């Protein structure tokens, strides 16, 4: 009986299941998208290009690792390094002594700047890539020169395409600037064949290349070639024996970690998006699906009661719901898989376009995310259906119809207890987050949001009844007329129905508010700190790889210049609890005493004068005050952290300052940072004019420094080269808010449509009692405004409670909520509620009152 009834219900009454179908479809889409991104992060790989003909590479581990205690055991956790870790170039000689090795060469690359006169017309801001010539044969990049001979002292070999583009031939001279040397003219000794590498390459003698790179004696990798008849496995075994346990010996696709070091960070980001965000999205989907299915099942209370009245058993009713779910959920989930894959494909494409994921990484599509999406939707729907039908199925047949006609205001005891526990948990977590700093506070924020959302979902009828009573007072006072008074009374009497519509709006407001306003807070505080911290009169920036290290010194000797400080940007890692977090680093050149003439960091304690000058052998550091609080250090303490290339350091803290979020969280002398970044070119040079100097004349003189693609601007130019990670985080937060907000908005509209369409009998009775169409439409509009207002108030309270401790931990201040973002979000919620109520309301009003009043008996 139950199976046949379920099939008949789905077949002949599809409108009754439309809302559940829509919720299941969108839930499957979002879970599929997140699961596919997670799978891509776990399986992402790239085939080597530069080292395609090099079977074995020796390289440093590109991760920082910490040991975390888990119970009685210790677990090692790793984080990709933000800069490239290097190995000792002398290992090449030790490896070459192995019997199976034909050649072993230290390979590395570094950017080179051309003088503006020698840059090609279309790429004035471009740079060549420098490499040691011995690596050409060892990596298969060039087996022989196309023309000329190998470079010697003061010479360079160019690839033929680069030379022809600049109309250069063997014997000509080219002026190049490297991270480890100022502009120097080099004689072109030879040309390598075209199309050997995807970038323009300049080859130097090995010793000269090491000095020019800025990190002499270190290499990105050791390229190893085998003797004839030696297999890759045997070669790797001999190399591993030669280098010991420190460096990594790489073969196969693992070689790409040297060629594309950003692949590791990209995989971590994809796993975080697919895992962490996917977890949030899955919980949201479960909330929405269970709420929608429970609403649909609750709307059929009279039908279940009638079945009980004619002798159906509780087991038959439960089987009916299970069969309906088994018929509906897999179909809806299967339909939602395709848009989910499309969303994942778009998402990955955007990450690649923004440089967060390397070119060539493709979407990994597999059955596991799809099956998970369908299975989660099915289980959520089954659970919600069972819970919603539990009460009507257990009633005695003689009481079923009478009970179904009366809506319960109070939720069950179990639901009330769980909702109260979730509310208390949210308050406790918010209190804990308020006492934390930095990343710890941000990590706790997710728990705060989820606890409060769970409390709203469980205590929804009580909250809806409370807000309907409070917000309905002005309506019942007569100011809104009969329609408003009727809406207030209806909302108060039918709070359970109201709660079903409020919960998705709370989700929209809470998630979008938290994600968007967290980003606006960070951006606002950062911009404030930049405006207050940059006191330089002129800022030099370049559209190319950067500014040569000597730019600041040359600028300082120009007439009218009082001080010039070069700024080298880098990254660092520090331990925060059981995780490794990243921090931005500034390496400043020159005398720290001159730093205050161009940069006002807002010193809180200590003195920057103790940071150390270029000739100082001491290693000191200044930290942003928020970071110092997170690390638990004060002036005079050693500060343990990792530089970007994985070098562990413990400099002494000499000062703390307030404007680290916008300017840089860690301040070091340039000499302490230069050898630990990919390229030692300054990001900016900050210049202070001498008292009484002509600002325009100084700017003109700075523009003639001969740096490629140089731009002379003011303090606003400091923000031109924004933090790439912050841009990616901002975009990711916006996308997550759009995905979650869009999903919750669809769910909210879907729920509102379901609740309005279920009121056919009520609307018909109102029409029979003499209520006009205009009054019914007015009642529905006022109810929609009550729903939207309640959802905005609850969601806004959750977002604010979450944002306050997070903003304090990250910025030291309060959340910044711009009206340009908050008002459109609130207006969108109100318009959504009005539209989702007005359209089905008009459809109900087309039915004759007698027919409507007789419906749903």
């Amino acid at each position: 009986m139950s199976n046949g009834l379920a099939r008949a219900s789905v077949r002949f009454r599809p409108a009754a299941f439309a809302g559940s179908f829509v919720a299941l479809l969108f839930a499957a889409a979002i879970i599929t998208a997140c699961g596919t991104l997670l799978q891509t992060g776990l399986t992402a790989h790239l085939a080597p290009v530069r080292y395609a003909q090099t079977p074995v590479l020796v390289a440093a581990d590109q991760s920082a690792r910490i040991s975390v205690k888990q119970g009685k055991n210790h677990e090692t956790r790793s984080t990709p390094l933000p800069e490239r870790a290097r190995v000792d170039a002398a290992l090449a000689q030790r490896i070459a002594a192995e019997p199976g090795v034909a050649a072993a060469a230290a390979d590395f690359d570094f950017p080179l700047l051309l003088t503006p006169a020698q840059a090609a017309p279309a790429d004035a801001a471009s740079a060549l890539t420098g490499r040691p010539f011995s690596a050409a044969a060892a990596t298969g990049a060039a087996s022989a020169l196309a023309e000329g001979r190998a470079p010697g002292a003061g010479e360079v070999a160019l690839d033929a395409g680069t030379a022809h583009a600049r109309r250069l031939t063997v014997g000509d001279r080219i002026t190049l600037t490297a991270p480890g040397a100022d502009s120097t003219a080099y004689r072109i000794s030879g040309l390598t064949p075209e199309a050997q590498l995807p970038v323009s390459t300049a080859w130097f003698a090995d010793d000269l290349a090491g000095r020019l790179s800025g990190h002499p004696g270190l290499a990105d990798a050791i390229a190893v070639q085998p003797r004839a008849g030696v297999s890759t496995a045997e070669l790797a075994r001999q190399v591993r024996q030669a280098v010991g346990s420190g460096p990594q010996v790489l073969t196969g696709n693992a070689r790409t970690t040297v060629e594309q070091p950003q692949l590791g960070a990209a995989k971590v980001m994809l796993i975080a998006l697919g895992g962490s965000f996917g977890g949030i999205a899955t919980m949201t989907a479960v909330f929405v699906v269970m709420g929608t299915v429970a609403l649909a099942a609750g709307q059929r209370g009279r039908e279940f009661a009638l079945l009980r009245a004619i002798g159906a058993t509780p087991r038959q009713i439960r089987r009916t719901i299970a069969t309906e779910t088994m018929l509906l959920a897999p179909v809806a989930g299967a339909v939602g898989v395709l848009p989910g894959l499309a969303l994942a494909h778009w998402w990955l494409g955007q990450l690649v376009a923004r440089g967060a994921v390397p070119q060539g990484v493709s979407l990994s599509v597999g059955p596991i995310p799809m099956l998970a999406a369908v299975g989660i939707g099915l289980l959520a729907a089954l659970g919600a259906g069972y819970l919603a039908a539990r009460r009507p199925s257990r009633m005695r047949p003689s009481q079923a119809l009478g009970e179904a006609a009366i809506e319960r205001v109070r939720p069950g005891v179990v639901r009330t207890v769980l909702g109260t526990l979730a509310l208390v948990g949210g308050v406790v977590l918010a209190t804990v987050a308020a006492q934390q700093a930095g990343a710890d506070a941000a990590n706790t924020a997710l728990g705060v949001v989820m606890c409060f959302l769970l409390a709203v979902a469980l205590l929804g009828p009580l909250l809806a009844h409370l807000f309907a009573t409070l917000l309905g007072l002005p309506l019942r006072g007569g100011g809104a007329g009969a329609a408003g008074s009727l809406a207030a009374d209806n909302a108060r009497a039918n709070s359970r129905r109201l709660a079903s519509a409020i919960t998705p709006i709370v989700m929209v407001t809470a998630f979008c508010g938290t994600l968007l306003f967290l980003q606006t807070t960070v951006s606002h505080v950062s911009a404030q700190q930049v405006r207050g911290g940059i006191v330089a009169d002129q800022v030099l920036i370049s559209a190319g790889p950067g500014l040569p290290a000597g730019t600041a010194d040359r600028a300082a000797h120009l007439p009218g210049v009082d001080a010039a400080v070069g700024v080298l940007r880098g990254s660092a890692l520090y331990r925060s609890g059981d995780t490794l977090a990243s921090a931005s680093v500034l390496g400043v050149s020159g005398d720290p005493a001159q730093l205050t003439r161009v940069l006002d960091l807002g010193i809180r304690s200590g003195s920057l004068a103790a940071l150390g000058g270029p000739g100082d052998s001491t290693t000191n550091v200044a930290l942003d005050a928020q970071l110092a609080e997170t690390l638990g250090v004060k002036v005079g303490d050693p500060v343990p952290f990792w530089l970007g290339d994985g070098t562990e350091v413990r400099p002494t803290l000499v000062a703390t300052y307030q404007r680290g979020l916008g300017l840089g969280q860690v301040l070091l002398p340039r000499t302490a940072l230069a050898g630990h970044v990919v390229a030692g070119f300054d990001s900016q040079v900050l210049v202070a004019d001498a008292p009484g100097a002509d600002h325009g004349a100084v700017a003109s003189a700075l523009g003639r420094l001969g740096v490629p693609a140089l731009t002379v601007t003011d303090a606003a130019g400091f923000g031109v080269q924004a933090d790439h990670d912050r841009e990616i985080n901002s975009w990711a937060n916006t996308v997550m808010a759009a995905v979650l907000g869009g999903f919750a908005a669809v769910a909210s509209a879907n729920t509102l449509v379901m609740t309005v369409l279920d009121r056919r009998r009520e609307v018909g009775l109102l029409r029979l009692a003499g209520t006009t169409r205009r009054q019914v439409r007015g009642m529905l509009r006022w109810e929609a405004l009550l729903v939207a207002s309640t959802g905005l108030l609850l969601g806004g309270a959750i977002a604010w409670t979450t944002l306050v401790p997070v903003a304090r931990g990250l910025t030291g201040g309060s959340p910044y909520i711009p009206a340009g973002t908050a008002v459109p979000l609130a207006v969108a919620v109100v318009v959504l509620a009005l539209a989702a109520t007005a359209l089905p309301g008009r459809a109900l009003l087309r039915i004759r009152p007698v027919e409507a009043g007789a419906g749903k008996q």
Side-chain angles (χ1 to χ4, degrees):
M1 171 186 168
S2 56
N3 291 343
L5 181 62
R7 288 193 295 270
S9 296
V10 175
R11 180 179 179 184
F12 296 108
R13 296 178 54 199
F17 300 93
S20 300
F21 185 90
V22 170
L24 287 164
L25 187 153
F26 277 90
I30 195 170
I31 294 173
T32 299
C34 294
T36 303
L37 286 179
L38 174 61
Q39 180 171 301
T40 302
L42 293 171
T43 62
H45 65 278
L46 291 172
V49 176
R50 172 170 161 183
Y51 295 115
Q53 300 180 46
T54 308
V56 175
L57 289 177
V58 177
D61 187 1
Q62 300 299 317
S63 299
R65 304 178 188 277
I66 58 174
S67 179
V68 176
K69 188 174 183 180
Q70 295 288 339
K72 296 182 179 180
N73 300 321
H74 284 79
E75 174 186 338
T76 299
R77 295 184 181 177
S78 63
T79 297
L81 294 172
E83 305 282 353
R84 184 192 294 274
R86 301 182 176 92
V87 296
D88 186 356
L91 284 175
Q93 298 178 0
R94 191 191 308 173
I95 295 170
E98 293 294 320
V101 175
D107 186 29
F108 50 89
D109 59 40
F110 51 93
L112 294 164
L113 295 174
L114 291 89
T115 59
Q118 290 180 315
D123 61 353
S126 68
L128 293 173
T129 296
R131 291 181 67 188
F133 188 74
S134 64
T139 59
S143 57
L145 289 168
E147 185 179 347
R149 58 177 177 78
E155 295 180 330
V156 62
L158 296 180
D159 65 89
T162 300
H164 294 160
R166 292 164 175 78
R167 297 174 180 165
L168 298 171
T169 61
V170 174
D172 289 343
R173 288 189 169 271
I174 182 171
T175 302
L176 302 171
T177 303
D182 288 333
S183 296
T184 305
Y186 300 93
R187 179 183 178 276
I188 300 175
S189 66
L191 302 179
T192 61
E194 293 190 40
Q196 293 296 314
L197 288 171
V199 294
S200 299
T201 307
W203 305 89
F204 296 91
D206 292 1
D207 290 343
L208 178 58
R211 293 195 300 272
L212 295 179
S213 69
H215 46 80
L218 298 176
D220 297 345
I222 310 295
V224 185
Q225 293 290 344
R227 295 186 182 274
V230 177
S231 67
T232 299
E234 174 60 21
L235 180 64
R237 186 193 66 78
Q238 293 186 20
V239 172
R240 193 172 291 108
Q241 180 178 326
V243 300
S245 60
Q248 294 182 326
V249 179
L250 308 173
T251 60
N253 286 335
R255 295 170 292 173
T256 312
T257 58
V258 179
E259 191 173 317
Q260 297 274 11
Q262 68 270 35
L263 180 61
K267 294 178 69 172
V268 170
M269 183 186 61
L270 288 172
I271 292 172
L273 279 176
S276 300
F277 175 64
I280 301 172
T282 300
M283 294 181 68
T284 306
V286 170
F287 275 148
V288 169
V289 168
M290 293 189 71
T292 306
V293 173
L295 176 62
Q299 289 175 347
R300 298 169 63 195
R302 292 174 59 84
E303 176 184 327
F304 296 144
L306 182 60
L307 290 174
R308 289 287 289 136
I310 63 175
T313 65
R315 182 172 181 270
Q316 287 174 326
I317 291 180
R318 290 194 296 268
R319 284 190 60 186
T320 298
I321 293 175
T323 304
E324 290 171 351
T325 304
M326 292 297 294
L327 292 173
L328 187 70
V331 176
V335 174
V337 163
L338 289 179
L341 293 176
L343 175 61
H345 186 272
W346 173 85
W347 210 332
L348 180 63
Q350 291 296 309
L351 291 172
V352 171
R354 284 167 169 75
V357 175
Q359 292 282 350
V361 174
S362 58
L363 198 67
S364 177
V365 179
I368 296 179
M370 305 177 196
L371 293 175
V374 176
I376 290 172
L378 176 61
L379 292 176
L382 277 173
Y386 271 129
L387 291 174
R390 185 174 61 90
R391 182 170 176 265
S393 68
R394 295 174 61 183
M395 289 180 187
R396 288 183 296 176
S398 60
Q399 296 178 331
L401 285 174
E403 291 286 341
I406 303 174
E407 180 180 282
R408 289 188 306 156
V409 175
R410 296 179 181 177
V413 175
V414 175
R415 184 172 177 175
T416 303
V417 171
L418 292 177
T420 304
L421 290 176
L423 182 62
V424 173
V427 173
V428 171
L429 285 178
T431 304
V432 171
Q435 299 172 353
Q436 294 176 327
D440 292 335
N443 293 334
T444 310
L446 174 59
V448 176
V449 174
M450 298 311 298
C451 281
F452 281 130
L453 286 180
L454 182 59
V456 170
L458 293 172
L459 302 177
L462 292 176
L463 292 172
H465 186 80
L466 174 62
F467 277 86
T469 301
L470 295 177
L471 297 179
L473 290 175
L475 300 181
R476 283 190 291 272
S485 179
L486 190 58
D489 293 335
N490 259 335
R492 191 166 180 268
N494 298 283
S495 55
R496 182 176 293 271
R497 180 182 65 199
L498 190 69
S500 300
I502 288 173
T503 302
I505 293 180
V506 174
M507 289 184 179
V508 173
T509 310
F511 278 128
C512 291
T514 300
L515 291 171
L516 294 179
F517 297 138
L518 175 61
Q519 197 57 49
T520 59
T521 300
V522 172
S523 299
H524 176 71
V525 174
S526 177
Q528 278 189 326
Q529 292 182 358
V530 169
R531 287 194 299 269
I534 304 300
V535 295
D537 299 297
Q538 321 261 11
V539 177
L540 308 185
I541 60 176
S542 173
L547 302 167
T551 304
D553 186 60
R554 285 188 286 144
H557 290 85
L558 291 176
V561 173
D562 184 41
V565 175
V567 176
L568 174 64
R569 292 184 179 271
S571 299
L573 295 174
Y574 63 92
R575 182 163 183 167
S576 177
D578 291 340
T579 61
L580 285 171
S582 63
S584 56
V585 182
L586 290 186
V588 292
S589 64
D591 185 358
Q594 293 186 336
L595 189 60
T596 55
R597 303 181 189 179
V598 295
L599 203 61
D600 181 8
L601 292 169
I603 301 300
R604 178 173 292 182
S605 62
S607 171
L608 292 179
L611 194 63
D616 195 341
S617 60
T618 60
T619 305
N620 296 328
V621 66
L623 294 181
D624 172 65
Q626 292 291 124
L627 179 57
E629 181 182 350
T630 299
L631 294 174
V633 294
K634 59 183 182 298
V635 172
D637 292 343
V639 183
F641 62 91
W642 291 260
L643 294 174
D645 63 349
T647 302
E648 294 188 53
V649 294
R650 294 179 63 88
T652 301
L653 182 62
V654 296
T656 62
Y657 50 90
Q658 302 179 28
R659 296 189 170 121
L661 186 64
L663 302 177
Q665 297 167 283
V666 180
L667 191 68
L668 287 170
R670 190 187 192 283
T671 52
L673 180 64
H676 305 279
V677 295
V678 172
F681 286 132
D682 288 340
S683 298
Q684 294 101 5
V685 170
L686 308 178
V687 179
D689 295 347
D694 186 302
H695 183 79
V698 174
S700 178
L702 291 170
R704 296 192 296 270
L705 284 175
V707 177
L710 177 68
T711 300
V712 182
T713 181
D714 54 13
F718 189 86
V720 171
Q721 296 185 355
D723 184 359
H724 183 255
D725 290 339
R726 187 172 296 163
E727 286 185 350
I728 294 297
N729 288 335
S730 174
W731 178 84
N733 281 346
T734 303
V735 172
M736 287 190 290
V739 172
L740 284 179
F743 176 50
V746 170
S748 178
N750 183 37
T751 304
L752 287 168
V753 170
M754 291 173 63
T755 56
V756 173
L757 291 178
D758 186 55
R759 301 171 67 181
R760 174 177 174 175
R761 185 168 178 266
E762 175 190 334
V763 171
L765 290 174
L766 287 172
R767 296 284 287 123
L768 286 173
T771 309
T772 65
R773 292 175 181 269
R774 182 178 180 183
Q775 287 175 329
V776 172
R777 287 196 295 268
M779 177 193 73
L780 293 177
R781 281 196 296 270
W782 281 115
E783 286 184 6
L785 290 175
L786 278 173
V787 169
S789 300
T790 303
L792 286 171
L793 288 173
L794 286 173
I798 293 173
W800 180 261
T801 305
T802 306
L803 283 171
V804 167
V806 175
R808 185 178 295 113
L810 292 177
T811 68
S814 300
Y816 173 71
I817 301 178
T821 304
V823 172
L825 179 60
V827 170
V829 169
V830 173
V831 170
L832 174 70
L834 290 173
T837 303
L839 295 177
R842 289 182 179 276
L844 286 183
L845 290 173
R846 293 193 188 100
I847 303 173
R848 294 172 56 189
V850 175
E851 296 176 353
K856 289 197 73 177
Q857 296 297 329

